[in-house]
Amino acid sequence: MGSSMARGDIENLATDFFGLFESFKHAPFYHIIIEVSLLLAVVWLLFFRKPRPIEKKLTEKEKQELIDEWQPEPLVPPVDSNHPALNVRVLDGIVGKTVEIDGRKSLNFATFNFLNFVGNQRIADKAIQAVQKYGVGSCGPRGFYGTIDIHLELEERLAKFFSCEEGIIYSYGFSTIASIIPAYSKRNDILFVDEGVHYAIQKGVEASRSHVKWFRHNDINDLERLLAEQDVLDKKNPKKARTIRRFLIIEGLYVNYGDICPLPRMVELKYKYKYRIFIDESVSFGTIGQTGRGITEYYEYSIGSIGGFAVGSSFVVDHQRLSAQGYCFSASLPPLLAAAAIEALNIMEEDHTLLFETIMAKSKRLHKKLLSIKGYIINGDEISALKHLRLTNSLNTVGRLEEIVQFAQSRDITITVARYLTDEHHLPEPSIRLILNVEMTDEELEFLCTVLQEALVKVTA
Amino acid sequence: MLAAPSKPCHVTIVHRHPPSKLYSEEEMVDNICSSSSDEDIKSTNHNTEIEYKHDDENLQSEEFEETPLYAAILTYLSYAILCLFGWLRDFLRDSHIEKKRGALDPNATLGFVPLYQSYESFYTRNMYTRVRDIFNRPIASVPGAQFELTERISDDYNWTYRYTGKTINAINLGSYNYLGFAEKSGPCATDAINAIKTFGVGNCNSRIELGTQRYHVELERLLADFLHVESSIAFGMGFATNALNLPALASKGDLILSDEMNHVSLILGMRLSGATYQTFAHNDMKDLEKKLRAAIVHGHPRTNRPWKKIIIVVEGVYSMEGSICRLPELMQLKKKYKAYLYMDEAHSIGAMGKQGRGIVDYFGVDANEVDILMGTFTKSFGSAGGYIAGKKSLIDHIRVTSHANTYASSMSAPLVQQIMSSLKLLKCPEGKRRICQLADNTRYFRQKLVDMGFIVFGNKNSPVVPMLIYMPARVTRFNREMLRRGVAVVTVGFPATKLLDARVRFCISAAHTRQMLDTALMAIDEVGTDISLRYSTRHKSRRLREL
């Protein structure tokens, strides 16, 4: 039954189609064109048109209303007038072994003047000679007549001092490392950075836009773990791995902690995992002596002048002359500061062993004395001239440390609480940063310890 | 790329009035003033009345002639040929037919990833090194109006140099010495030497801990007085002032609108701040307005949240273009759309304006209307460093949050003293003489160049005078020929400027005498004829002797 009905239907259907077909043949041409295009339009509408979001077309009036309504935030938020930055101690005169504040002289354990070059007569004389020959400023970046022969001399001397091929100098310590890191490390590269590095390095790392892997402060095992992880990823994709550069960024002597990095082990790992090392030796240069060789530094501190430099093989250092922003686009170091630095290098080379032996020995003695004061935690290597002093656990607040500093000031000892910005990557614990000047006598060191002890009693009472 | 041609600039011909001693009426501020009053100072006070008319049209007239077509074609062709040769040489070096010069990686064979991609250093190896001798020329004297260049010779096409020990005396049209304070003797130098004797050279600590000396406080007060603002703060490096303080002012959720020709330090600062930044066409106020409106109406492009604040970043005088920002229009836009204005006056402080107070002085605008004034001491004050000035609340905030205040070493005593001495000098007749001399020199030099038929960019009052050369080979030849005639100039090409727009940039100084400028103009005339640099179609090409 079904089939007979189906056959009938099919026959009807076939007739209908035939009739349709015939009618097409007889239809005028334009009719067919219109039908076909309508058909195509329907197909397009159904399948190919992307759903367009309904655009919010604002009228001019509405736009003006929005503009009138919009209220920006004030340019700067209100600031606490008790913030230490607004209440600094103002100094007078040369900031050497002693410092004068409001007419009173006190022993200076706060500035980074390790070798007591600030106020050194020889250095001052050379700086004066430089002013008489070159004027004060250099009036241009290195590329445009800002290169003075004294810069070239200083670069050569630094390279020789470190037994490296070439040196390059910058006009500002902070921007030295902050320009060097982005000059080498780009978006696809990997940086292994110690957590305890100081702020300038953090900014350099940020400016480079590379992948950053932080490892725990001075923890070589943590570093190995990260390197091994990266190695595994490399083996999965060797082609990509061959285009990723790796760098290890550490400090010779950490400004925030006072301890020394385990360099030999890191050099071993360097050849195993194939990364390049950048060492920031701001504090270790001139104070540690023997282990103080590296690739990047700034000598703002122990050399009694201002600026920064980097030394290394020509292949590496030359690149910075065109790519380091702080070198190419900034005025060069004023010649008098370069002259001061050369003279300081002269003094360091003449006095080579004595000065550094003395400072290391005194640091050890001070370390022992400080350890004997109960109630303080001393951070820092024993030969390091820079130490961090903290109170035991729950007592360690900035407020108490400030009280200690004020008490010391009243007894004519100048020390300072280490200051940081709140957006540091790994904010160190509050501490007092003690810096040893090589010219301090043993009696003065004793006096310092006595005062610290008395301060402790007063604060914890 | 080049702005549409503006109205032809009008020439203001300045007549010098006979010298008269007016300064006896002025108050002597310091020893500095009394020591300089002994000289016979020609008073140009009358001239300042004529020159600094508050006439917007005149003050803002700038010219940016279009690149002539044949120059554009030849420049592209030059670079193409250089690239071809570069590839050929690289091929020869890689296949060991030619020896590889330059330093080699000590770690090359140990399996380290190469430190530089070869395409990054293609430019350095094949184009920069060929012409390296025109950059980084060492000098052996104070960078004043005339200086001594150390002679260096290369025997191997600039891969290495040797110094002959001799020096070349040349007129200095390259250093930033607008007011002529690069001096090795005189009141400023003497004060700087005294400062070294009193304070030593370094301070070895940051401002916030134990690095603030009384002279820092004094400098900041003097600077705020000079600029007619409430307060100011100074830093040791101009580049770092921008890069480290923009993050203190802007943060995520803010919008920064910056001019496309802004300096690298500003761009670095904007990147470090975490805020979103957009550029607007150079000095194009219509484009800026369009972007401002779009920003306020639509908010953040993805989330549509309103911006927390909008900061417009411009420079006073653009160091590569010689143009001046359109301050009056910026002020209007700023008020209308409630944005904040950050003006970087690195090249304009000291050099522009009747009293040398920069662009606000030039246009006669109240300095307190610009929210953040930034500048450097390197160019006009012969020292080093940078500053930010504005309201006390702003400066206090910067003191608390600035990276440079917390971590960087405080400024050295002789540098601070040099700035203070030069600031005091600017109040004296000697200072005013220098300002007028600079303005005079600038106008004279620019006018002569334009009349000779060279293409010169920028505002007719800006002491930065860029002259277009276009082709890399001509740029190099110009530089070397000028030095042979005893004039040291600065030529810049790609990548500091756009590929087509290689140029020579003259920096006029108040220390230049009319004679020196004439010598320089004669040299430019000769060399310009030799190399056919007279591209201008708007001004007839003429020789100097015809003018």
Side-chain angles (χ1 to χ4, degrees):
Chain A
M1 186 177 101
S3 58
S4 65
M5 285 236 5
R7 238 173 75 226
D9 280 335
I10 289 173
E11 271 176 24
N12 284 339
L13 225 55
T15 325
D16 288 337
F17 267 122
F18 190 65
L20 201 65
F21 190 58
E22 283 292 309
S23 68
F24 265 129
K25 275 201 336 202
H26 295 302
F29 191 60
Y30 65 87
H31 192 92
I32 301 180
I33 297 288
I34 293 176
E35 297 250 5
V36 167
S37 38
L38 280 176
L39 193 66
L40 284 176
V42 168
V43 167
W44 178 75
L45 274 174
L46 279 179
F47 296 116
F48 293 114
R49 193 180 77 153
K50 288 194 178 52
R52 223 179 295 151
I54 302 169
E55 233 179 58
K56 248 194 323 178
K57 265 287 188 191
L58 299 168
T59 62
E60 278 309 311
K61 184 158 167 287
E62 283 170 335
K63 283 191 185 165
Q64 195 51 48
E65 266 179 29
L66 279 170
I67 291 174
D68 290 334
E69 274 174 13
W70 180 70
Q71 279 302 330
E73 273 182 9
L75 181 59
V76 290
V79 125
D80 176 19
S81 57
N82 288 325
H83 193 279
L86 302 173
N87 298 297
V88 287
R89 284 171 280 193
V90 179
L91 316 172
D92 284 303
I94 296 184
V95 186
K97 186 172 151 188
T98 56
V99 62
E100 190 181 320
I101 301 178
D102 291 332
R104 273 174 75 156
K105 274 200 158 51
S106 46
L107 280 176
N108 177 6
F109 284 99
T111 63
F112 291 78
N113 185 18
F114 303 107
L115 301 176
N116 204 23
F117 281 158
V118 176
N120 182 306
Q121 196 51 48
R122 273 173 66 176
I123 294 182
D125 284 339
K126 275 281 155 51
I128 291 175
Q129 277 175 29
V131 174
Q132 287 165 337
K133 186 170 178 203
Y134 301 109
V136 177
S138 60
C139 296
R142 288 291 292 258
F144 305 149
Y145 305 112
T147 305
I148 304 183
D149 48 8
I150 209 169
H151 292 144
L152 300 173
E153 195 189 323
L154 180 57
E155 286 178 358
E156 259 182 62
R157 289 292 304 280
L158 283 167
K160 218 187 298 172
F161 185 80
F162 286 96
S163 314
C164 286
E165 282 183 344
E166 207 175 316
I168 178 173
I169 52 180
Y170 289 79
S171 51
Y172 205 51
F174 190 103
S175 64
T176 307
I177 189 72
S179 303
I180 289 180
I181 297 178
Y184 294 104
S185 185
K186 312 279 181 202
R187 229 181 251 266
N188 289 330
D189 303 328
I190 301 184
L191 292 170
F192 297 97
V193 192
D194 186 302
E195 270 184 346
V197 292
H198 67 85
Y199 199 71
I201 299 182
Q202 292 172 29
K203 284 295 134 187
V205 157
E206 223 180 277
S208 71
R209 296 198 265 208
S210 318
H211 300 299
V212 188
K213 296 200 177 353
W214 301 93
F215 62 93
R216 267 196 301 273
H217 176 58
N218 254 355
D219 186 347
I220 198 96
N221 296 324
D222 201 27
L223 172 63
E224 274 205 73
R225 176 184 64 87
L226 285 171
L227 287 169
E229 277 174 18
Q230 183 59 35
D231 206 35
V232 166
L233 285 169
D234 286 342
K235 293 209 161 51
K236 283 198 197 134
N237 193 346
K239 196 155 165 236
K240 185 165 170 230
R242 249 178 281 136
T243 58
I244 303 177
R245 294 175 280 234
R246 303 126 217 279
F247 300 97
L248 173 70
I249 305 192
I250 46 176
E251 287 187 47
L253 185 74
Y254 288 88
V255 180
N256 293 343
Y257 294 94
D259 46 7
I260 302 178
C261 73
L263 192 60
R265 183 85 182 101
M266 286 177 170
V267 173
E268 265 180 50
L269 289 175
K270 162 183 164 150
Y271 288 106
K272 182 172 173 205
Y273 289 102
K274 310 280 187 264
Y275 57 77
R276 296 170 201 260
I277 305 184
F278 284 3
I279 307 184
D280 178 336
E281 296 202 72
S282 359
V283 180
S284 50
F285 171 52
T287 60
I288 310 276
Q290 264 37 296
T291 46
R293 275 233 210 122
I295 305 178
T296 52
E297 274 203 53
Y298 60 91
Y299 57 51
E300 234 147 283
Y301 300 142
S302 62
I303 224 172
S305 182
I306 298 203
F309 67 89
V311 288
S313 65
S314 293
F315 178 77
V316 176
V317 168
D318 221 23
H319 178 73
Q320 288 169 43
R321 293 198 197 274
L322 282 179
S323 326
Q325 291 187 340
Y327 179 85
C328 304
F329 296 108
S330 172
S332 52
L333 186 65
L336 65 102
L337 298 174
I342 294 181
E343 190 56 24
L345 268 180
N346 285 342
I347 299 178
M348 280 166 76
E349 282 182 344
E350 285 166 24
D351 251 356
H352 196 80
T353 41
L354 186 59
L355 206 57
F356 304 128
E357 273 175 17
T358 318
I359 198 171
M360 284 197 280
K362 284 197 182 162
S363 307
K364 271 197 210 151
R365 286 209 287 276
L366 179 63
H367 200 90
K368 230 183 272 174
K369 288 198 180 85
L370 288 171
L371 279 174
S372 65
I373 309 177
K374 293 217 168 32
Y376 283 121
I377 305 178
I378 314 292
N379 271 108
D381 211 276
E382 61 169 9
I383 58 165
S384 147
L386 181 154
K387 302 181 196 298
H388 281 264
L389 219 62
R390 298 198 168 92
L391 295 170
T392 46
N393 293 337
S394 53
L395 291 173
N396 195 33
T397 61
V398 176
R400 285 211 183 80
L401 293 174
E402 298 261 12
E403 275 185 52
I404 297 178
V405 167
Q406 272 175 9
F407 178 80
Q409 190 65 54
S410 67
R411 299 291 302 272
D412 290 332
I413 293 238
T414 302
I415 47 180
T416 180
V417 175
R419 302 274 178 215
Y420 308 103
L421 284 178
T422 45
D423 63 337
E424 283 246 6
H425 179 263
H426 188 75
L427 194 64
E429 298 283 319
S431 65
I432 291 179
R433 191 192 297 124
L434 269 182
I435 295 181
L436 177 66
N437 186 318
V438 72
E439 307 239 337
M440 291 289 182
T441 61
D442 275 330
E443 290 86 43
E444 285 160 346
L445 294 179
E446 272 299 332
F447 183 47
L448 168 71
C449 295
T450 321
V451 169
L452 283 174
Q453 196 141 28
E454 288 175 28
L456 185 67
V457 167
K458 184 161 181 279
V459 158
T460 52
Chain B
M1 173 203 73
L2 291 165
S6 57
K7 309 185 262 296
C9 52
H10 300 285
V11 175
T12 18
I13 300 176
V14 169
H15 297 286
R16 278 224 164 154
H17 285 240
S20 66
K21 284 192 170 30
L22 283 180
Y23 52 80
S24 51
E25 299 167 37
E26 284 173 327
E27 224 178 47
M28 289 302 140
V29 179
D30 227 351
N31 289 339
I32 295 169
C33 291
S34 52
S35 69
S36 57
S37 64
D38 297 341
E39 298 165 40
D40 185 20
I41 298 168
K42 282 197 279 276
S43 161
T44 45
N45 283 3
H46 287 301
N47 288 339
T48 56
E49 305 301 325
I50 300 174
E51 291 163 9
Y52 293 101
K53 261 193 305 215
H54 190 66
D55 176 359
D56 275 314
E57 227 176 81
N58 225 357
L59 290 177
Q60 285 188 37
S61 66
E62 297 182 346
E63 235 188 70
F64 292 95
E65 198 172 320
E66 304 91 25
T67 317
L69 184 63
Y70 74 92
I73 295 178
L74 282 177
T75 311
Y76 283 129
L77 199 61
S78 315
Y79 280 111
I81 295 177
L82 280 170
C83 273
L84 275 172
F85 269 93
W87 287 322
L88 175 68
R89 298 291 290 277
D90 271 350
F91 170 71
L92 289 176
R93 281 189 209 118
D94 284 337
S95 42
H96 301 292
I97 300 176
E98 196 185 318
K99 201 170 56 145
K100 272 195 190 161
R101 313 274 188 91
L104 294 169
D105 187 358
N107 285 323
T109 49
L110 295 171
F112 281 72
V113 178
L115 197 52
Y116 319 118
Q117 303 289 35
S118 67
Y119 66 82
E120 279 170 10
S121 46
F122 176 84
Y123 176 78
T124 316
R125 275 197 308 277
N126 297 309
M127 299 195 211
Y128 178 71
T129 310
R130 300 168 79 106
V131 299
R132 210 156 69 109
D133 63 307
I134 64 176
F135 300 113
N136 293 308
R137 287 201 178 116
I139 68 178
S141 72
V142 62
Q146 273 184 313
F147 60 180
E148 304 281 327
L149 289 165
T150 50
E151 195 183 22
R152 59 181 184 176
I153 302 191
S154 175
D155 300 315
D156 53 0
Y157 301 104
N158 291 335
W159 285 99
T160 56
Y161 293 113
R162 63 184 167 83
Y163 295 93
T164 61
K166 289 200 288 221
T167 57
I168 308 172
N169 187 297
I171 297 177
N172 182 1
L173 284 178
S175 296
Y176 303 133
N177 182 21
Y178 300 127
L179 290 175
F181 280 117
E183 295 163 327
K184 59 184 184 186
S185 57
C188 296
T190 321
D191 282 346
I193 291 176
N194 287 335
I196 298 178
K197 290 187 185 145
T198 323
F199 295 103
V201 172
N203 282 316
C204 300
N205 211 336
S206 61
R207 285 290 297 271
I208 197 176
E209 290 182 9
L210 207 73
T212 304
Q213 291 256 17
R214 207 163 290 284
Y215 55 73
H216 291 126
V217 180
E218 176 69 18
L219 168 68
E220 290 171 2
R221 191 191 60 81
L222 263 176
L223 193 58
D225 281 338
F226 177 71
L227 294 170
H228 296 238
V229 289
E230 280 180 22
S231 178
S232 75
I233 178 173
F235 302 98
M237 183 186 183
F239 185 99
T241 306
N242 275 332
L244 304 179
N245 289 310
L246 269 171
L249 296 169
S251 55
K252 197 150 173 246
D254 296 336
L255 174 68
I256 305 183
L257 286 166
S258 93
D259 190 294
E260 65 180 349
M261 298 281 172
N262 273 341
H263 191 254
V264 167
S265 55
L266 288 166
I267 298 182
L268 183 62
M270 289 190 264
R271 263 185 42 209
L272 286 177
S273 68
T276 316
Y277 60 94
Q278 296 175 2
T279 54
F280 61 90
H282 177 58
N283 255 356
D284 186 348
M285 296 296 112
K286 289 205 178 51
D287 192 30
L288 176 60
E289 180 159 13
K290 204 168 72 160
K291 293 209 157 71
L292 273 170
R293 287 185 78 90
I296 302 179
V297 165
H298 297 292
H300 195 282
R302 307 249 301 253
T303 57
N304 275 348
R305 289 229 186 89
W307 296 108
K308 289 200 285 184
K309 54 182 185 279
I310 299 183
I311 305 181
I312 306 173
V313 173
V314 292
E315 287 188 40
V317 167
Y318 291 88
S319 55
M320 279 300 156
E321 306 289 314
S323 47
I324 298 182
C325 74
R326 299 182 187 285
L327 193 59
E329 291 162 41
L330 277 169
M331 303 262 73
Q332 279 176 0
L333 279 177
K334 184 181 100 75
K335 285 200 186 81
K336 190 170 166 194
Y337 296 102
K338 294 173 256 181
Y340 299 110
L341 183 62
Y342 181 110
M343 190 153 74
D344 175 342
E345 294 211 77
H347 287 267
S348 49
I349 189 69
M352 308 287 302
K354 212 192 311 190
Q355 287 142 19
R357 288 193 292 117
I359 299 290
V360 289
D361 194 9
Y362 181 73
F363 284 114
V365 168
D366 179 15
N368 285 306
E369 306 241 348
V370 178
D371 303 289
I372 310 153
L373 282 164
M374 178 266 169
T376 62
F377 301 119
T378 331
K379 283 95 185 173
S380 303
F381 299 106
S383 179
Y387 68 85
I388 294 195
K391 295 206 164 45
K392 187 159 183 314
S393 54
L394 166 74
I395 303 296
D396 281 347
H397 173 81
I398 291 185
R399 276 190 220 282
V400 167
T401 53
S402 162
H403 308 179
N405 211 33
T406 316
Y407 295 103
S409 192
S410 55
M411 286 175 83
S412 158
L415 299 173
V416 173
Q417 187 57 51
Q418 164 79 15
I419 304 167
M420 291 204 287
S421 310
S422 46
L423 277 175
K424 288 182 189 152
L425 196 77
L426 282 178
K427 294 204 183 79
C428 301
E430 169 63 14
K432 300 219 184 319
R433 182 195 71 81
R434 288 182 192 227
I435 296 173
C436 292
Q437 181 76 43
L438 175 65
D440 205 43
N441 281 353
T442 304
R443 254 197 291 279
Y444 176 73
F445 195 78
R446 272 179 172 269
Q447 196 51 52
K448 285 277 188 263
L449 280 182
V450 167
D451 287 342
M452 280 200 270
F454 296 109
I455 295 186
V456 176
F457 273 4
N459 191 300
K460 67 178 179 20
N461 288 316
S462 98
V464 172
V465 187
M467 188 175 106
L468 278 266
I469 304 183
Y470 303 111
M471 285 153 238
R474 289 188 183 180
V475 160
T476 323
R477 175 121 178 252
F478 184 84
N479 197 311
R480 291 179 183 150
E481 291 292 320
M482 288 295 282
L483 188 60
R484 211 167 288 158
R485 288 169 174 75
V487 182
V489 297
V490 160
T491 46
V492 268
F494 184 75
T497 59
K498 299 200 175 100
L499 190 67
L500 272 186
D501 291 342
R503 64 196 65 180
V504 55
R505 184 189 67 181
F506 303 110
C507 289
I508 309 296
S509 161
H512 286 133
T513 58
R514 194 47 84 86
Q515 248 172 328
M516 289 181 205
L517 291 180
D518 284 332
T519 318
L521 283 165
M522 271 194 295
I524 296 173
D525 181 42
E526 262 180 58
V527 180
T529 315
D530 228 1
I531 319 181
S532 327
L533 292 177
R534 290 179 159 80
Y535 296 107
S536 180
T537 49
R538 291 188 202 167
H539 306 273
K540 221 174 91 182
S541 303
R542 281 181 289 186
R543 296 300 304 261
L544 186 63
R545 55 172 182 263
E546 297 167 24
L547 291 173

